[in-house]
Amino acid sequence: MKDKSALRDRFTKTSKKRSQLVNDVLNLNKKPQLKKPSRTEPALQISEFNLVKSITGTQGVVHVNDLTKVLKKRAKHVEIGNKVSKAQHDTKTLPKPLEKSRADRIRRTVAFEGVKKQLDRWDAVVTSNRASNQLSFPLPNVKLEDNKNFTEFRLKTDLQKELEELEPKVEIFNLENEPKYSLTMQEMIERRKEMAKVRAVQSYKEAKARRQSKIKSKKYHRIQRREKIKQQMKEFELLQKTNPEEALKKLEEIEKVRAMERADLRHRSTGKWARNKQVQAKYDKESRQALAQQLTLSRELTQKLKVDESESEPEEEIKVDTGNANRNNPWTDLNKTPNEIEEFVSGYRKFWENKDKEIEEFSKDDDKNVSSFDQHKITNNDFVEANINKDHDIAEDNPKLQIKKQNVKEENNFQQKKSMKRGSKHTSRKIKVGTSNWEIDCVGESGDDNEITTRDIKIDLKKKLRKKYETFKKELQQEETNNKSKQATRKKKLQVKPIKNVSALKLHVIPTRPVVKEPLLESYGNILQKDKNGLDALETILKSNEPVTKELHKNTANIDPNDIAKVKPISLNTEVPDLLAVDLDDEEENADQNVDMLEAFKDDDIIAEFEKDKRAEIDKDKPKDINLTLPGWGSWGGTGIKLSKRKRGRFIVKFPKKFKRRDDNKGNLIINEKANKNIKPHMVSEVPFPFKKTKDFEASVRAPIGNTFVPETAFRKMIRPPVLTKMGTVIEPMTEDILLKKKK
Amino acid sequence: MKEKMAKVTRYFNEEPKVKKKAFKTKNKSTITYKVRNKPMRHHEIKQVKKIPNPAPKYPGRAPINEKLLEKHSRGEGIDKSGVRTGIHKRKQELKEKNFKFANEQAARVEILLTEGSGLLEADAGETTTQFTQKQIMDNVDISAATKHFELRLKDFGPYRMRYTRNGRHLLLGGKLGHVAGFDWITKKLHFEINVMESVHDICWLHIETMLAVAQKNWVYVYDNQGIELHCLKKLNKVSRMEFLPYHFLLATASDEGYLSWLDISIGQIVAQYNTKLGKLNMLTQNPNNAVLCVGGSKGVVTMWAPNTRDPLAKMLCHKTAMTALHVDPKGLYMATAAADRTLKIWDIRKLHGPMQVYELKSVASNVAFSQKNMLAIGMGNIVEVYKDCCETSAERAYLRHRLNNTIGNFHFCPYEDVLGVASAHGFTSLLVPGAGEPNFDAFEANPFQTKTQRQEAEVKALLEKIQPDLITLDPTKIAEVDIPTLQDKIEAKRKLLFLKPQKVSYEPRKKAKGKGGSVKMAQNKKIVQEESKREFVKKMKKIGTQIQKEKNNSQNKAKPPSVLDRFLPKEPSQKLKK
């Protein structure tokens, strides 16, 4: 308004000055324009910079219509004029080409799809070849053209030769001359069609992209975003099945995006909707509630979803955790009294009031000074931010007080903004960018309920993802560690010395503090050995999927050898020998004489001894708890130190007491469980690639292949070489002839 | 003369007319062959023209007997859903197809096993027990009748005997130093020597040209000429010997309680240790898994492998001292006899039993299984053979033979219906119809082996030699995946507690003058070492916490007590308290 009045005042002054001013004003929100070329002298060279502005279709300075107007004066030229105007009416100016990067992308996608289609044709052939048991090269020639390839060479008989000599020689003409062009007419047409198709697809895509970029609807974008998330979910699920490692990476990426989002969610109630609500809040209870809800929601969003670690960690540690919670964070600190909060908030408010005052002072001389716009812009932004910060506290504090004060400021703020809008579009937009960049704003316009539901969906998705992530991570743990260990060994340029003697690691008697010591070895061969005893190996053993609980079972009691379901003895009517067995080593007396004595003493000794043996064996295999207590550690020293029960319990490493043994419930049997140690290095330690379960792998190696076990014919069949090549022939690569052609 | 001529006839001679006639009688229209001298390629057109049988008994190939299929079956196949990627699924499918073909083929070629095992059948009111060897001999064909014979060797007894794996050759060893080896079917003597020392046991090695004799102090190896090849002084005071053919191990048990395994292909002791069982005078091998079974005076059978110094398994079989044990050639059953006149049959695969308990009239000093699971029991001077005594209980002896002197030892002859009994005053070969396997696998054990076949077989056997490490109770263990047990985990955890960060030997590069002095180099070294140490500690901590987590989880998941728990067997500690 002020600008206009000023203009009127100065209207009387010279036109030159006036035009200067107009230019100035025009230039306020525009880049400095190129000056119109003023024609001076005819010249051969015309600057292309001058041309740009003058020829811009209907918007330009020069219009063809203007020229036709002149033509209308004569009836003779009217027709030409009409033609021109009609032509102008019919033709449309070509749209501005897309940005180069975007156009390139489209071109690439179209090209990619084409190439993909071409390559996909080979899929069937490739898979069949890969899956087949035997391939023979060179590949059989499948090209079957009418009798062309079947000119058989035959040895001529003597008679034929003689006849040939008698007959006059016939010159053979090649009737089918070589084609002039490398392509036939049909092929050329086909190719042209193909090219046209590609171009059409490209143009469709370009048009689509252009259309989409113009869409301003927030709803549309919201839907798109949701679709994107869903798509991501789907992809992730698929990846989880096919490539778990990649899936993990993807998850992490999603996590990262989420973290970024959280970090960026600073502006909560500064959208248009929120501001309106703030204005209304003074009188309307509902709007106040809506605002509060909005804030709580935003807090929820910004909070990191905590994994429930309390389950996995011991209770003591949890207590400590709660005690040491971050004191600077008013949200996380649950121990703060309301008074403290009040104090904190009031102090905060004071600070901002001071700041507001400064800003107001600053804005007074704002309108006069046009050149100080930039500075103003910055301060204004700050101001908005201040409001935002205040909004944080609204829910905590008494909202009424806060809002009242704020309203005053708000009004100020609005005035400023209005003025700015009038002065320059540019700056006002920038402010908007600063404040309403976040989805809180855009959703706010479309209504509250809708907004919450969409957000819920989003949160749900995230939760789902997280859940999956957790389960999935556990599954992957072993694989990961394996990979890690592999990588570690590969990457290690440093030579790590192995623990060499396994026997030193075994603890027969519980030592108070044994330490594994071993000499430094530097040969490469030892790295392999290291794997057996090193940390990685231990880790793999510890992390193997076999759950501990399965092995624990309660019925370890042994059946007494006497209690074995007795088989009814059958007395055989054997002949009594008349000569007694002479022990070949003639050392013992006759066995029969001993029988009565043996029968008298049988059972008791032998069975009891065996039972004792078995118990000892079981005890020997049981792991003993390790006591790591150090008397005096963590308490005041001195004589008569007593270890507290709690401490003692903490420092004893306990092992399960019960084990499943193979000879459980078999009273007359002791099986040495450690006997398999020597065969272990020969066994497969992990389920190899194409198999998922041990059972499947074991099933795949269950049957022998050697000719000592299977019939010769079967043996021959089993050992057929996977690739057969014919000696002395060139093995050509596969040609397209092998593909099945589509009918046209 | 005429015969000789016929023998020399070659293809260039005129063919006999009869043959041509036979050829002509064949209907030419049915099959035509074109002879090719090149191997066929799969894409080439086959030139064999076949016309199907106009009146077939079955629509396709003759079906295979289900029982035979099951007999040769190798177990269930792979569940295809457990295989990743389509290509590998397809590959496994093809593999499975081959296995199935092998199974079917094996079942089909059973038709080629034409020989059936014989049997003694008694008329009504008779029992087979009462048949004497003379009666049997009178009723069998001449070639079989020659298999019953007796050698009276009064001077150097008591004797011990062994057959080779193909059952063709016999080895006799008299206590007083008489050692003789001969082809017992043709009765051709290979050698006969007196080693001028006491002979405690004898054993064939992998071929019939080598044998081991446990003499007074050491084990000697002779060839089939009776020439001493080796004196194995590491095998001291050996009482019993067994040869493990697939491992090329000569296993011996000594008077002092030592077991030793000698690899005869390289001549080295694989393992030798004290069993702490006192004198060992009962030793047999389980042919299924090459584990040695030793009978003891405490009624316990212990099983031994060269890998561990402790027995793989101990089995309390009798309540008194044992007198004899033997494992059947397939490794299914074990027969044990004890001083309390009992004889028990055990399932040695499951280490479970007894399946049968027999009470005898006198103590069995020897037991032996035949290939068809007949059991010979030696008591004093009496040999009794029992049929079908493992799964079903035998009522009476199948055959009985009384010798006129006490038995030393006996073995059934493989692939023959013969029981060879060595006694105090000689050797007797008894006919036991139906004892041996009638069909032999010539690649495995060929009674009609020629010299070149023997040489070939020796080389092949050496190439297929199994390492002594693989001797375990379960021979299929090697085909399993090594999954760490709870014990392994605990052991690992214990190790983890006392694991020290590994030292890093890092030699810093020598840089250009002025870039890195000795101080800098030392610093770098320290940095690298510290870093690796820190990494190690971090990793260790991580594992520790993971274990803790797992433990907690498992504890949480523990089953709640059930009402039915009271019916579970009580724990040993509770039992003791009572």
Side-chain angles (χ1 to χ4, degrees):
Chain A
M1 289 295 229
K2 279 176 186 176
D3 284 343
K4 273 188 180 175
S5 58
L7 274 176
R8 271 173 209 153
D9 295 338
R10 286 161 197 167
F11 191 68
T12 48
K13 289 183 181 178
T14 51
S15 60
K16 203 180 177 185
K17 266 190 178 179
R18 184 180 146 267
S19 63
Q20 177 65 39
L21 190 68
V22 168
N23 272 345
D24 281 350
V25 172
L26 277 175
N27 286 341
L28 271 179
N29 60 349
K30 277 182 195 166
K31 286 173 197 169
Q33 280 184 340
L34 288 172
K35 277 183 183 174
K36 268 188 204 167
S38 54
R39 196 181 286 185
T40 47
E41 285 287 313
L44 279 173
Q45 281 185 337
I46 301 168
S47 168
E48 71 262 33
F49 297 111
N50 297 339
L51 283 172
V52 176
K53 291 287 173 181
S54 55
I55 309 163
T56 46
T58 49
Q59 289 168 347
V61 182
V62 182
H63 299 292
V64 190
N65 282 347
D66 298 339
L67 296 172
T68 51
K69 272 175 200 167
V70 182
L71 290 174
K72 270 180 186 173
K73 283 174 186 171
R74 279 192 191 177
K76 200 174 157 191
H77 299 309
V78 167
E79 210 175 310
I80 299 166
N82 285 344
K83 253 187 189 173
V84 169
S85 60
K86 200 187 173 193
Q88 207 182 12
H89 185 258
D90 287 349
T91 54
K92 279 172 190 167
T93 47
L94 285 171
K96 201 170 83 180
L98 278 177
E99 264 174 70
K100 205 196 168 198
S101 60
R102 198 151 185 201
D104 276 352
R105 202 183 305 146
I106 285 164
R107 193 176 42 72
R108 264 182 273 132
T109 50
V110 170
F112 172 76
E113 272 159 22
V115 172
K116 200 182 164 195
K117 217 174 182 182
Q118 282 279 315
L119 288 177
D120 278 352
R121 294 183 307 156
W122 289 91
D123 276 2
V125 179
V126 170
T127 37
S128 80
N129 276 0
R130 280 183 70 194
S132 73
N133 265 358
Q134 194 174 41
L135 290 175
S136 71
F137 293 106
L139 291 164
N141 199 359
V142 228
K143 204 175 181 181
L144 293 171
E145 280 175 37
D146 332 305
N147 299 328
K148 266 184 193 169
N149 289 359
F150 293 94
T151 48
E152 285 173 50
F153 175 79
R154 293 197 179 182
L155 281 176
K156 284 166 185 169
T157 59
D158 294 338
L159 183 70
Q160 266 180 327
K161 278 176 192 168
E162 274 175 38
L163 278 172
E164 264 178 19
E165 271 171 29
L166 289 173
E167 277 175 15
K169 278 186 181 176
V170 183
E171 218 174 306
I172 300 163
F173 294 99
N174 198 357
L175 294 173
E176 283 178 275
N177 282 327
E178 290 230 330
K180 262 187 179 176
Y181 308 102
S182 56
L183 296 174
T184 59
M185 182 71 174
Q186 214 168 8
E187 276 174 331
M188 271 152 110
I189 289 166
E190 235 170 68
R191 186 165 282 190
R192 278 191 63 177
K193 267 185 189 169
E194 235 166 64
M195 292 290 284
K197 206 179 169 189
V198 167
R199 246 178 280 126
V201 170
Q202 207 168 316
S203 71
Y204 293 151
K205 290 214 163 175
E206 268 176 21
K208 199 180 174 187
R210 205 172 282 130
R211 221 184 320 123
Q212 276 180 344
S213 67
K214 271 183 189 168
I215 293 170
K216 280 176 188 163
S217 157
K218 278 163 185 168
K219 198 172 179 184
Y220 168 79
H221 284 294
R222 205 186 315 133
I223 287 163
Q224 270 216 326
R225 206 182 307 128
R226 219 187 302 167
E227 261 170 19
K228 209 176 172 187
I229 288 169
K230 272 183 191 171
Q231 185 64 29
Q232 265 181 332
M233 279 289 292
K234 249 185 208 169
E235 271 171 23
F236 169 71
E237 265 165 25
L238 204 114
L239 257 185
Q240 199 179 339
K241 275 173 199 161
T242 53
N243 191 356
E245 272 175 49
E246 199 66 17
L248 194 72
K249 264 184 206 168
K250 183 134 196 176
L251 240 178
E252 264 159 21
E253 213 170 84
I254 294 167
E255 281 285 288
K256 206 177 172 186
V257 169
R258 159 90 183 128
M260 294 271 277
E261 213 179 297
R262 257 191 289 112
D264 282 347
L265 274 175
R266 279 170 304 190
H267 319 286
R268 287 160 214 204
S269 54
T270 46
K272 202 173 173 188
W273 171 85
R275 261 184 274 122
N276 287 339
K277 287 282 164 193
Q278 276 169 11
V279 174
Q280 287 167 16
K282 198 175 173 184
Y283 315 103
D284 190 9
K285 201 182 174 185
E286 274 180 28
S287 56
R288 234 175 288 145
Q289 277 173 346
L291 258 178
Q293 203 178 9
Q294 166 81 358
L295 270 172
T296 49
L297 236 170
S298 75
R299 209 170 302 133
E300 251 173 51
L301 274 174
T302 45
Q303 223 127 39
K304 193 182 179 184
L305 283 173
K306 260 197 178 175
V307 188
D308 207 4
E309 283 172 20
S310 58
E311 282 174 26
S312 52
E313 273 166 35
E315 284 171 30
E316 288 171 335
E317 283 175 65
I318 293 163
K319 276 177 194 169
V320 174
D321 260 303
T322 49
N324 290 342
N326 192 359
R327 277 177 197 171
N328 296 327
N329 191 345
W331 310 119
T332 53
D333 195 353
L334 303 166
N335 297 337
K336 271 191 177 175
T337 58
N339 271 341
E340 276 179 311
I341 295 166
E342 192 84 20
E343 245 179 53
F344 172 76
V345 170
S346 63
Y348 209 56
R349 208 181 297 145
K350 256 183 195 171
F351 169 75
W352 281 111
E353 273 168 7
N354 289 338
K355 197 130 203 198
D356 285 356
K357 272 176 195 170
E358 279 175 22
I359 291 158
E360 272 174 316
E361 281 170 14
F362 204 85
S363 60
K364 272 175 190 171
D365 37 40
D366 195 316
D367 33 9
K368 287 168 194 170
N369 199 354
V370 184
S371 61
S372 69
F373 242 108
D374 282 81
Q375 206 184 348
H376 183 125
K377 203 166 67 193
I378 295 156
T379 51
N380 216 348
N381 266 341
D382 282 353
F383 187 75
V384 172
E385 268 176 17
N387 280 337
I388 294 154
N389 282 328
K390 226 162 263 168
D391 289 346
H392 287 212
D393 306 341
I394 289 172
E396 296 298 305
D397 213 336
N398 193 358
K400 271 188 187 175
L401 251 172
Q402 187 64 25
I403 288 162
K404 262 186 193 173
K405 280 197 173 180
Q406 192 146 345
N407 280 339
V408 183
K409 281 160 230 155
E410 216 76 73
E411 275 169 27
N412 259 329
N413 202 6
F414 280 135
Q415 277 185 349
Q416 282 168 18
K417 271 179 191 166
K418 271 179 194 170
S419 65
M420 276 188 290
K421 265 182 191 170
R422 240 171 253 151
S424 67
K425 237 183 176 178
H426 195 71
T427 44
S428 71
R429 205 202 290 141
K430 266 214 168 171
I431 288 161
K432 251 191 185 171
V433 166
T435 56
S436 63
N437 200 11
W438 286 96
E439 54 191 50
I440 300 166
D441 299 86
C442 26
V443 181
E445 282 174 312
S446 64
D448 231 359
D449 292 3
N450 202 356
E451 175 197 343
I452 289 158
T453 51
T454 51
R455 244 173 241 170
D456 282 352
I457 287 165
K458 216 176 170 188
I459 289 162
D460 269 4
L461 281 174
K462 300 264 163 171
K463 273 183 183 169
K464 265 188 206 168
L465 262 179
R466 183 155 276 283
K467 247 187 199 173
K468 263 175 201 168
Y469 175 74
E470 288 304 322
T471 51
F472 180 50
K473 212 170 187 181
K474 269 176 201 167
E475 277 173 37
L476 269 179
Q477 259 173 8
Q478 190 167 4
E479 274 176 83
E480 241 190 309
T481 50
N482 291 344
N483 284 341
K484 270 183 193 167
S485 60
K486 273 175 200 167
Q487 280 174 10
T489 45
R490 238 179 270 148
K491 279 182 182 176
K492 252 176 203 167
K493 284 165 197 164
L494 318 167
Q495 287 185 345
V496 180
K497 173 208 41 69
I499 301 162
K500 213 188 174 188
N501 44 348
V502 189
S503 58
L505 289 167
K506 276 189 224 156
L507 302 170
H508 299 296
V509 192
I510 312 160
T512 46
R513 201 126 185 71
V515 161
V516 181
K517 281 191 175 180
E518 59 289 313
L520 194 85
L521 294 173
E522 293 179 22
S523 70
Y524 179 76
N526 288 318
I527 290 170
L528 277 173
Q529 268 195 333
K530 184 217 83 188
D531 274 0
K532 274 188 187 175
N533 307 315
L535 191 62
D536 297 331
L538 293 183
E539 202 178 352
T540 49
I541 290 170
L542 286 167
K543 280 186 182 175
S544 76
N545 291 328
E546 206 170 310
V548 181
T549 42
K550 264 190 187 172
E551 296 250 348
L552 295 169
H553 76 145
K554 282 178 182 173
N555 17 333
T556 46
N558 279 310
I559 293 167
D560 189 50
N562 287 320
D563 295 345
I564 305 165
K566 274 179 182 164
V567 182
K568 204 183 169 189
I570 294 154
S571 53
L572 291 171
N573 191 20
T574 57
E575 188 132 311
V576 180
D578 39 16
L579 287 165
L580 293 171
V582 180
D583 199 285
L584 292 180
D585 301 316
D586 49 18
E587 193 179 276
E588 289 170 32
E589 309 93 286
N590 288 336
D592 252 14
Q593 284 179 347
N594 282 345
V595 169
D596 296 331
M597 272 260 282
L598 286 166
E599 274 183 347
F601 285 107
K602 82 177 183 185
D603 296 12
D604 312 332
D605 273 2
I606 283 176
I607 290 170
E609 208 169 302
F610 189 81
E611 250 181 78
K612 204 176 135 195
D613 253 21
K614 183 161 185 177
R615 211 168 298 148
E617 179 83 18
I618 291 169
D619 286 342
K620 204 176 85 187
D621 283 356
K622 255 186 207 167
K624 277 142 198 161
D625 295 347
I626 299 174
N627 193 351
L628 294 173
T629 45
L630 294 170
W633 187 85
S635 61
W636 291 108
T639 51
I641 294 168
K642 268 191 182 178
L643 265 178
S644 74
K645 224 178 186 181
R646 194 180 60 86
K647 238 178 231 171
R648 216 183 303 148
R650 264 184 85 176
F651 285 102
I652 289 175
V653 183
K654 280 175 187 165
F655 292 114
K657 291 281 169 289
K658 286 156 203 161
F659 281 101
K660 186 175 177 151
R661 286 179 64 90
R662 277 180 67 204
D663 51 17
D664 283 341
N665 289 328
K666 282 182 176 175
N668 65 332
L669 186 66
I670 304 171
I671 291 177
N672 185 0
E673 306 250 299
K674 285 179 181 169
N676 283 339
K677 237 179 213 171
N678 287 43
I679 203 176
K680 279 194 171 174
H682 301 286
M683 284 160 77
V684 179
S685 57
E686 272 171 49
V687 182
F689 161 61
F691 304 103
K692 289 177 192 166
K693 291 174 210 153
T694 44
K695 190 191 142 212
D696 295 318
F697 168 67
E698 282 169 10
S700 80
V701 293
R702 74 188 191 283
I705 330 174
N707 60 354
T708 49
F709 297 93
V710 297
E712 189 68 20
T713 42
F715 169 66
R716 284 278 157 81
K717 224 175 179 186
M718 281 167 180
I719 60 155
R720 280 203 308 178
V723 175
L724 280 180
T725 50
K726 201 175 175 185
M727 269 239 268
T729 49
V730 179
I731 296 170
E732 299 281 356
M734 233 182 249
T735 54
E736 280 199 338
D737 297 330
I738 214 162
L739 301 174
L740 289 174
K741 268 179 187 163
K742 269 187 189 173
K743 276 186 181 176
K744 281 165 196 168
Chain B
M1 193 65 197
K2 211 179 183 184
E3 271 182 35
K4 226 180 184 181
M5 275 298 287
K7 255 189 178 176
V8 190
T9 314
R10 296 277 183 272
Y11 66 94
F12 43 78
N13 293 357
E14 259 192 357
E15 278 193 30
K17 280 175 186 176
V18 194
K19 228 179 181 180
K20 266 188 178 175
K21 263 183 189 174
F23 190 71
K24 272 180 184 173
T25 48
K26 273 185 183 174
N27 193 355
K28 264 189 177 176
S29 65
T30 51
I31 301 170
T32 54
Y33 288 104
K34 270 198 174 178
V35 180
R36 294 166 57 91
N37 51 2
K38 263 201 300 182
M40 201 98 80
R41 293 221 153 231
H42 70 90
H43 58 271
E44 284 178 64
I45 303 151
K46 287 182 182 172
Q47 307 212 340
V48 182
K49 203 174 175 187
K50 279 183 183 174
I51 287 168
N53 184 4
K57 204 174 172 187
Y58 308 104
R61 263 187 111 177
I64 311 160
N65 189 355
E66 286 291 323
K67 274 184 187 170
L68 284 179
L69 267 183
E70 205 166 297
K71 180 185 162 193
H72 293 281
S73 162
R74 300 287 179 182
E76 246 179 77
I78 306 171
D79 175 21
K80 252 202 296 170
S81 65
V83 182
R84 282 180 226 275
T85 77
I87 285 163
H88 288 287
K89 263 180 199 161
R90 176 86 189 120
K91 280 198 164 170
Q92 290 302 325
E93 216 173 88
L94 291 170
K95 211 173 160 192
E96 263 329 286
K97 228 177 177 176
N98 280 344
F99 288 154
K100 204 187 159 200
F101 174 76
N103 182 11
E104 282 174 0
Q105 195 66 14
R108 267 186 208 287
V109 296
E110 280 249 321
I111 214 170
L112 300 175
L113 306 178
T114 49
E115 301 289 322
S117 55
L119 192 70
L120 277 182
E121 271 181 353
D123 291 336
E126 280 184 327
T127 53
T128 51
T129 322
Q130 70 197 53
F131 295 150
T132 59
Q133 283 294 312
K134 193 161 182 291
Q135 276 173 313
I136 295 167
M137 223 169 72
D138 290 343
N139 285 298
V140 293
D141 60 308
I142 302 166
S143 65
T146 58
K147 285 170 187 169
H148 171 64
F149 63 94
E150 202 178 340
L151 301 174
R152 291 200 189 96
L153 310 157
K154 291 210 165 174
D155 299 333
F156 302 104
Y159 278 88
R160 290 184 69 80
M161 55 77 61
R162 279 284 180 146
Y163 286 111
T164 49
R165 230 153 58 83
N166 59 12
R168 187 66 193 235
H169 304 276
L170 177 67
L171 187 62
L172 287 175
K175 176 89 183 177
L176 300 181
H178 177 211
V179 178
F182 63 108
D183 180 342
W184 70 272
I185 292 170
T186 57
K187 315 287 188 302
K188 189 195 158 204
L189 185 69
H190 296 317
F191 73 100
E192 189 175 20
I193 50 168
N194 196 320
V195 294
M196 306 307 282
E197 257 182 344
S198 62
V199 170
H200 297 265
D201 202 5
I202 40 166
C203 185
W204 288 110
L205 297 186
H206 60 290
I207 39 172
E208 67 262 21
T209 56
M210 281 169 96
L211 56 115
V213 180
Q215 294 179 18
K216 185 187 167 197
N217 278 328
W218 306 305
V219 172
Y220 289 78
V221 177
Y222 296 93
D223 74 349
N224 68 344
Q225 312 281 330
I227 298 164
E228 182 187 319
L229 300 177
H230 300 287
C231 170
L232 307 167
K233 288 190 178 176
K234 278 181 182 171
L235 304 177
N236 190 24
K237 292 204 170 176
V238 168
S239 57
R240 289 289 175 265
M241 293 193 293
E242 276 288 335
F243 182 69
L244 312 176
Y246 298 105
H247 302 77
F248 282 84
L249 292 178
L250 178 68
T252 59
S254 80
D255 278 347
E256 278 138 3
Y258 277 86
L259 276 180
S260 26
W261 285 263
L262 177 95
D263 191 330
I264 62 145
S265 63
I266 52 173
Q268 272 175 352
I269 294 273
V270 171
Q272 187 168 40
Y273 49 78
N274 195 350
T275 57
K276 292 163 194 160
L277 289 173
K279 191 188 169 191
L280 307 172
N281 51 11
M282 269 169 279
L283 179 77
T284 189
Q285 61 164 307
N286 181 353
N288 184 36
N289 53 16
V291 164
L292 291 186
C293 300
V294 174
S297 59
K298 284 173 182 172
V300 179
V301 173
T302 45
M303 297 179 189
W304 302 85
N307 306 319
T308 42
R309 279 162 173 267
D310 300 316
L312 302 179
K314 283 184 196 172
M315 213 170 159
L316 179 62
C317 293
H318 291 274
K319 290 162 186 175
T320 51
M322 283 176 62
T323 54
L325 87 161
H326 195 246
V327 180
D328 93 287
K330 281 175 191 155
L332 303 179
Y333 310 111
M334 177 171 71
T336 59
D340 61 354
R341 299 193 200 116
T342 54
L343 178 106
K344 291 180 184 176
I345 312 286
W346 304 82
D347 180 353
I348 203 170
R349 282 184 302 175
K350 281 198 232 162
L351 300 173
H352 176 75
M355 296 169 78
Q356 303 293 340
V357 178
Y358 295 107
E359 277 175 358
L360 311 171
K361 288 273 161 67
S362 51
V363 181
S365 57
N366 276 304
V367 285
F369 272 109
S370 83
Q371 281 175 324
K372 286 285 181 184
N373 281 344
M374 281 190 186
L375 181 67
I377 305 168
M379 299 159 286
N381 62 336
I382 288 172
V383 187
E384 288 191 351
V385 180
Y386 287 86
K387 221 179 106 211
D388 302 329
C389 57
C390 298
E391 272 155 4
T392 56
S393 48
E395 295 295 324
R396 61 171 64 85
Y398 175 64
L399 270 181
R400 182 178 291 155
H401 186 77
R402 184 187 288 270
L403 293 134
N404 49 16
N405 49 48
T406 52
I407 294 162
N409 78 334
F410 52 66
H411 285 285
F412 279 100
C413 180
Y415 309 107
E416 294 285 356
D417 290 348
V418 163
L419 174 69
V421 184
S423 57
H425 298 312
F427 172 82
T428 318
S429 178
L430 303 173
L431 290 181
V432 186
E437 170 69 46
N439 298 297
F440 60 86
D441 179 356
F443 285 123
E444 183 66 20
N446 186 1
F448 306 109
Q449 210 170 31
T450 61
K451 191 180 171 187
T452 46
Q453 278 172 342
R454 188 186 69 212
Q455 286 162 346
E456 191 96 341
E458 188 183 9
V459 172
K460 278 198 172 153
L462 271 169
L463 289 174
E464 286 172 359
K465 181 184 139 187
I466 306 170
Q467 286 305 310
D469 280 359
L470 305 182
I471 299 178
T472 49
L473 273 181
D474 179 12
T476 58
K477 189 91 189 165
I478 191 75
E480 287 172 13
V481 178
D482 179 20
I483 302 165
T485 59
L486 182 59
Q487 271 97 335
D488 292 334
K489 281 184 183 179
I490 283 163
E491 192 66 25
K493 199 179 163 189
R494 186 183 282 164
K495 276 180 197 169
L496 194 70
L497 278 174
F498 307 116
L499 213 57
K500 231 183 152 188
Q502 292 152 346
K503 279 173 194 167
V504 171
S505 67
Y506 169 70
E507 218 36 70
R509 234 169 348 120
K510 271 179 187 164
K511 283 180 186 169
K513 211 176 180 184
K515 296 240 170 165
S518 61
V519 176
K520 184 82 182 162
M521 261 157 74
Q523 272 178 349
N524 279 346
K525 199 173 173 180
K526 203 80 191 163
I527 286 166
V528 168
Q529 281 172 347
E530 286 296 309
E531 203 167 296
S532 77
K533 198 174 171 183
R534 216 176 302 132
E535 218 165 73
F536 176 84
V537 170
K538 221 188 214 173
K539 212 172 176 188
M540 208 157 88
K541 256 188 187 171
K542 204 180 153 196
I543 298 169
T545 50
Q546 268 167 357
I547 293 163
Q548 190 66 29
K549 269 184 197 176
E550 239 170 59
K551 205 178 164 190
N552 286 338
N553 283 340
S554 67
Q555 276 171 358
N556 291 338
K557 279 170 199 167
K559 265 190 182 176
S562 158
V563 185
L564 298 173
D565 281 352
R566 70 188 67 178
F567 299 113
L568 289 171
K570 272 160 194 159
E571 286 172 35
S573 56
Q574 286 175 335
K575 215 176 187 179
L576 283 176
K577 274 173 203 167
K578 279 180 183 176

